[in-house]
Amino acid sequence: MTGSTRSSGGLDDRRKRLLFRCWHRGTREMDLILGRFADAEIANLSDEELTQFEYLMDVPDPDLYAALTGHMPPAPEYANRLFDRIQSFRSSDHGA
């Protein structure tokens, strides 16, 4: 079971892959943060945001988790509006 509440039906292949990757990070905490964000937002992300999201998928879990939880500042290469949206989404109570 992935934890996802969203079907991948109706999504293009790029979004389907990202949704899957968000729920299969390897660290449960990151699955929950990125997976819940993807469930809610993946269908509405622009091509530029999808590219940024794909980049975040390659950031190691400990680094991304520390930045998203405010334990360290985000690296300049991924400190952008999408990162801020994920961080804000995580901060508000979306089923967590």
Side-chain angles (χ1 to χ4, degrees):
M1 184 170 135
T2 66
S4 181
T5 59
R6 188 195 199 299
S7 166
S8 62
L11 295 177
D12 59 58
D13 289 342
R14 187 179 185 192
R15 285 177 170 81
K16 286 178 186 178
R17 279 191 300 276
L18 270 170
L19 182 63
F20 180 86
R21 288 181 71 191
C22 286
W23 281 107
H24 295 87
R25 294 279 302 180
T27 303
R28 189 64 182 150
E29 292 84 354
M30 289 306 301
D31 289 354
L32 293 171
I33 292 169
L34 295 177
R36 286 178 175 151
F37 177 81
D39 279 356
E41 302 291 333
I42 196 83
N44 302 317
L45 296 178
S46 68
D47 285 338
E48 180 181 345
E49 290 169 327
L50 287 172
T51 299
Q52 292 170 354
F53 208 12
E54 289 166 334
Y55 181 82
L56 287 177
M57 293 297 105
D58 294 330
V59 176
D61 281 351
D63 297 340
L64 188 54
Y65 183 77
L68 285 169
T69 58
H71 290 101
M72 65 180 256
E77 57 270 15
Y78 60 83
N80 55 42
R81 286 183 35 187
L82 180 66
F83 177 88
D84 293 342
R85 282 178 57 196
I86 295 168
Q87 192 172 41
S88 176
F89 185 90
R90 182 211 159 264
S91 297
S92 56
D93 185 23
H94 287 91

